[in-house]
Amino acid sequence: MNFVSKRGLTAAILSTVFVAGAAYAEPTAEVLHWWTSGGEAKAVQALKADFEANGGKWIDNAVAGGAGDAAMTVLRSRALAGDPPAAAQIKGPAIQEWAKQGVLANLDKVAASENWDKVLPPAIQSVMKYQGHYVAAPVNVHRVDWLWVNPTVLAKVDGKIPTSWDEFNALAEKLKAAGITPLAHGGQPWQDSTIFETVVLGLGGPAFHKKAFVDLDEATLKSDTMVKAFDQMRKIRGYVDRDFPGREWNLATQMVMNGTAAMQIMGDWAKGEFLAAGKVPGKDFVCAPTPAPQGGYLSNVDSFAMFNVKGDDKVAGQMLFAKLLVGEKFQETFNLFKGSIPARTGVSMAKFDECAKASETALNAASANGTLLPSMAHGMSTTGSVSGAIFEVVTQHFNSTMSSQDAVKKLAEAVALAK
Ligand code: GAL
């Protein structure tokens, strides 16, 4: 532990943990996260730099693996062993589940001094609060329903950005006929489900997506529209390359970058990859919403919760960390790298690119007209056990010859069992 240094002094004043004559508890935070790809790592580096510049000591606990499945396994075992990290990336209804177990620290003090009730949109506040108290801090809003396209490859077949799934299929067939892999994909359950929920949104519309993945309505899960969604998944299975099983999402993004494939369906953390590789939006790559004639916006808010830990240095670290996360400057820097847009209001979008600006416009429109939806594939719409059950059916169907009729039957059964 360090004694008061110039840096420490600033932090001590900030976090008011300095006691005259006593050793200063250096704000320390072990941060568990899964941001290890090119763009993600740059974003997390910005987070670390901000924390350290404010006198914090950062202990990095990065657990690789897209969408955090591996990170969540580590978190559960650490929590079970009574040794949770000070801060962990968790989101959506999982925040409530952890809070219910009484293991999360109350962030109301920081929230009050930083005005979170004013600067955070109500829809985000409610995800961050448990029984009216803040237990998590949001860093961004990712849009999930994006199509990333290599325009040079598209031009080879004289293709246009598809605005319906029929157009998407026609384009994919054209690309295939020209010997080009239409879709870069990584065969991992969360990636299969990322595609699946964009198909469900596109074919069923926003109200249908909500009935299926928020309300978990049995009739909707078994409906003809859901049968059509699985039919579309079967088509998509024919548009990916042979080596798709197990591939990480960022390697799929690289296929679009280097022209090995024409498109990828992925949230805008993929844009973080393009940017980290020096690619320019509108020139080297194009972003467009996945085909959804009835509109909608699948949102995914990354956030951190602080776990109950002992030690003044750790508690000071948690409070400093929470405060910085929602700060204006930090949300600008972080999101410029991450591909997302700020979670808080009042951050200038001047430095953001056209994809981020389009995301913000679409987000505002969707929240105004009631088509803002929580992403199922990214843990925002339902519990981990229900989304896990959905993932399993979607992936089984994708990797077999299962009929769409059987798939919807299995889907409804699996959801009923898991909820
Ligand atoms: C999402 C997460 C994003 C991104 C992605 C791939 O679930 O919200 O921040 O990192 O996984 O790892």
Side-chain angles (χ1 to χ4, degrees), residues 65-83:
D69 294 346
M72 290 306 100
T73 306
V74 170
L75 180 61
R76 276 189 294 273
S77 69
R78 289 277 305 267
L80 257 178
D83 173 36

Side-chain angles (χ1 to χ4, degrees), residues 61 70 81 87 135 139 176 260 266 272 296 313 317 349 354 395 409 412:
N61 189 351
V135 291
V139 289
K176 230 175 140 175
T260 323
M266 189 48 67
D313 52 344
M349 292 298 287
E354 56 188 72
T395 291
K409 222 175 123 236

Side-chain angles (χ1 to χ4, degrees), residues 2-281:
N2 288 343
F3 288 84
V4 179
S5 63
K6 205 172 150 210
R7 244 165 150 215
L9 187 60
T10 323
I13 293 164
L14 277 174
S15 52
T16 61
V17 293
F18 182 73
V19 183
Y24 159 63
E26 184 182 28
T28 301
E30 181 195 351
V31 184
L32 188 141
H33 63 91
W34 65 84
W35 289 329
T36 54
S37 76
E40 288 176 338
K42 282 198 164 184
V44 97
Q45 202 48 42
L47 186 51
K48 182 174 177 237
D50 199 27
F51 189 61
E52 288 175 348
N54 283 280
K57 185 177 161 203
W58 174 283
I59 302 170
D60 198 52
N61 189 351
V63 182
D69 294 346
M72 290 306 100
T73 306
V74 170
L75 180 61
R76 276 189 294 273
S77 69
R78 289 277 305 267
L80 257 178
D83 173 36
Q89 202 187 333
I90 54 174
K91 56 186 174 177
I95 295 171
Q96 307 291 316
E97 293 181 86
W98 282 106
K100 221 180 266 169
Q101 295 182 33
V103 293
L104 298 188
N106 184 315
L107 304 177
D108 283 348
K109 258 196 188 159
V110 186
S113 67
E114 296 297 310
N115 252 327
W116 290 4
D117 274 346
K118 277 235 173 76
V119 303
L120 296 178
I124 294 185
Q125 279 180 35
S126 63
V127 182
M128 303 300 137
K129 285 181 183 174
Y130 176 66
Q131 296 183 338
H133 301 286
Y134 278 103
V135 291
V139 289
N140 64 5
V141 181
H142 271 301
R143 183 175 192 175
V144 173
D145 47 320
W146 279 121
L147 191 61
W148 305 96
V149 184
N150 181 318
T152 313
V153 175
L154 198 68
K156 282 189 187 157
V157 297
D158 210 9
K160 276 208 263 345
I161 302 283
T163 57
S164 70
W165 286 99
D166 284 343
E167 282 178 26
F168 177 91
N169 296 339
L171 172 64
E173 295 296 342
K174 244 180 157 179
L175 287 159
K176 230 175 140 175
I180 299 163
T181 300
L183 198 64
H185 178 54
Q188 295 176 340
W190 73 270
Q191 294 190 59
D192 299 339
S193 278
T194 296
I195 296 184
F196 178 64
E197 75 166 327
T198 70
V199 169
V200 167
L201 174 67
L203 295 178
F208 183 86
H209 182 283
K210 177 179 175 289
K211 266 189 165 175
F213 300 138
V214 179
D215 305 341
L216 309 175
D217 176 60
E218 194 190 348
T220 306
L221 293 169
K222 288 201 297 203
S223 63
D224 290 346
T225 305
M226 200 58 88
V227 170
K228 288 195 184 110
F230 279 105
D231 289 346
Q232 178 60 32
M233 290 304 285
R234 179 63 67 239
K235 287 219 161 89
I236 288 175
R237 176 67 180 78
Y239 302 150
V240 303
D241 72 332
R242 262 208 326 233
D243 301 327
F244 81 97
R247 177 188 286 136
E248 280 291 339
W249 66 272
N250 52 319
L251 300 181
T253 308
Q254 274 173 30
M255 290 170 67
V256 179
M257 272 185 222
N258 63 27
T260 323
M263 308 179 271
Q264 181 184 20
I265 292 169
M266 189 48 67
D268 42 23
W269 45 93
K271 195 189 69 192
E273 293 306 292
F274 283 109
L275 298 182
K279 304 290 178 195
V280 179

